[in-house]
Amino acid sequence: MSTSRSILAFDYGTKSIGLAIGQELTGTASPLKAIKAKDGIPNWDDIERVLKEWQPDLIVVGLPLDLKGNPLEGITPRAKKFANRLHGRFGLPVELHDERLSTVEARANLFDQGGFRSLTKGNVDSQSAVVILESWFERQYGQ
């Protein structure tokens, strides 16, 4: 198995969808600009632009679960539907990844980097996507 794939992560939300790009080789991820959504529906042209620019080999979508690992009413099915649509529209492999506590960790990371001013919605969502992707790397490779 190749470990030099580029992977795009999405932190699905109804108003904003965070994005991060990462490399399997390094096991690290960087935030990209979040994409706005209207009631959970993104502008698919924006997503297509990101996919063309970064040309990922795999997409990871954060799966919202409660602290016990149970689906959250309303948002978990919508995140799964979003993942299915990504796969259906663009034909790339898509994996769901447990995103419990990613927002909490993202806020802490951003606050450490830049205080309250860095805690804008888009920054938090994209930093959450970084946390999701780096956690996915850890699960895959025990890094």
Side-chain angles (χ1 to χ4, degrees):
M1 176 175 158
S2 166
T3 55
S4 60
R5 297 183 297 177
S6 69
I7 300 171
L8 189 65
F10 288 87
D11 177 34
Y12 176 80
T14 57
K15 294 182 180 152
S16 177
I17 298 170
L19 291 163
I21 188 74
Q23 294 294 325
E24 269 183 319
L25 197 59
T26 60
T28 58
S30 303
L32 301 175
K33 189 175 186 318
I35 291 176
K36 291 195 181 321
K38 286 192 176 138
D39 193 28
I41 300 167
N43 179 336
W44 289 102
D45 292 341
D46 290 345
I47 289 178
E48 187 172 4
R49 270 193 289 281
V50 171
L51 291 173
K52 280 186 175 163
E53 179 178 352
W54 293 98
Q55 299 183 358
D57 300 296
L58 174 69
I59 295 171
V60 173
V61 175
L63 183 64
L65 301 169
D66 70 16
L67 292 179
K68 293 180 180 171
N70 299 313
L72 294 165
E73 193 175 319
I75 192 73
T76 303
R78 293 179 83 174
K80 286 181 176 179
K81 186 175 181 181
F82 174 73
N84 288 337
R85 287 207 170 137
L86 279 171
H87 176 69
R89 277 180 184 253
F90 304 108
L92 289 165
V94 177
E95 288 187 21
L96 292 164
H97 181 70
D98 178 354
E99 67 167 44
R100 280 179 277 180
L101 301 179
S102 63
T103 301
V104 173
E105 188 175 331
R107 285 180 187 276
N109 292 347
L110 284 168
F111 186 79
D112 289 347
Q113 292 167 18
F116 283 111
R117 281 182 300 241
S118 62
L119 295 178
T120 64
K121 178 83 177 114
N123 283 353
V124 170
D125 292 336
S126 287
Q127 190 64 42
S128 292
V130 168
V131 171
I132 289 165
L133 187 49
E134 290 184 344
S135 145
W136 183 88
F137 286 137
E138 285 169 18
R139 180 166 291 158
Q140 302 301 308
Y141 305 109
Q143 294 173 339

